[in-house]
């Protein structure tokens, strides 16, 4: 729940920032000189890109959460079998062992979105966020095409 609140607060702050930056872009355009109009248009592009990025990330999180809920209802969420250090951090060797299992599971069933979901979790536990995101995107794509 704390992660959802943090995400919502961050998104709200970003939207406020985009509105402020956008208003500055409009002010520059209203000044009417070639230079200020050029800068105004350039400044307006930044919030558009930011809003698009925020929207895409929000959609990704929403879809991943939907998959997690569906997998939980089936009883298929990965069990936390990771060893942890005294400080609570995941032991790297333990994460690598679980990752090897999840990778083998995914290689055995490459068209199963559930195995890709579990692989994404294993990548995340191994602190490989880019690959975790790609694996989760693959799980989302497979689930959407299966419907």
């Amino acid at each position: 729940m704390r992660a959802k609140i943090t995400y919502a607060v961050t998104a709200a702050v970003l939207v406020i920032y985009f509105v402020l930056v956008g208003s500055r872009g409009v002010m520059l355009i209203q000044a009417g000189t070639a230079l200020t109009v050029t800068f105004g248009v350039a400044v307006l592009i930044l919030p558009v890109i930011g809003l698009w990025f925020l929207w895409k990330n929000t959609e990704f999180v929403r879809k991943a959460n939907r998959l997690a809920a569906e997998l939980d209802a089936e009883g298929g969420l990965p069990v936390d079998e990771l060893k942890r250090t005294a400080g609570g951090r995941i032991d790297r060797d333990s994460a690598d062992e679980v990752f090897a299992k999840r990778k083998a599971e995914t290689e055995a069933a490459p068209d199963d979105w559930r195995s890709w979901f579990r692989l994404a979790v294993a990548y995340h536990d191994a602190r490989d966020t880019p690959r975790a995101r790609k694996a989760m995107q693959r799980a989302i794509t497979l689930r959407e095409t299966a419907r």
Side-chain angles (χ1 to χ4, degrees), residues 31-66:
T33 68
L35 184 63
T36 60
V37 169
T38 303
F39 279 139
V41 170
V43 167
L44 283 176
I45 289 172
L46 294 174
V48 170
I49 293 170
L51 285 169
W52 174 82
F53 184 74
L54 182 62
W55 175 256
K56 293 304 269 183
N57 278 311
T58 302
E59 281 295 301
F60 173 78
V61 169
R62 197 175 57 74
K63 289 176 181 179
N65 285 339
R66 194 175 324 132

Side-chain angles (χ1 to χ4, degrees), residues 9 18 46 56 58-59 63 70 76 80 85 95 104-105 107 110-111 116 119 125 131-132 139-140 142:
V9 169
F18 295 149
L46 294 174
K56 293 304 269 183
T58 302
E59 281 295 301
K63 289 176 181 179
E70 187 173 338
D80 186 1
T85 65
E105 175 187 318
E107 288 171 350
D111 295 330
W116 281 97
L119 180 64
D125 290 342
R131 286 191 177 126
I140 291 167
L142 286 170

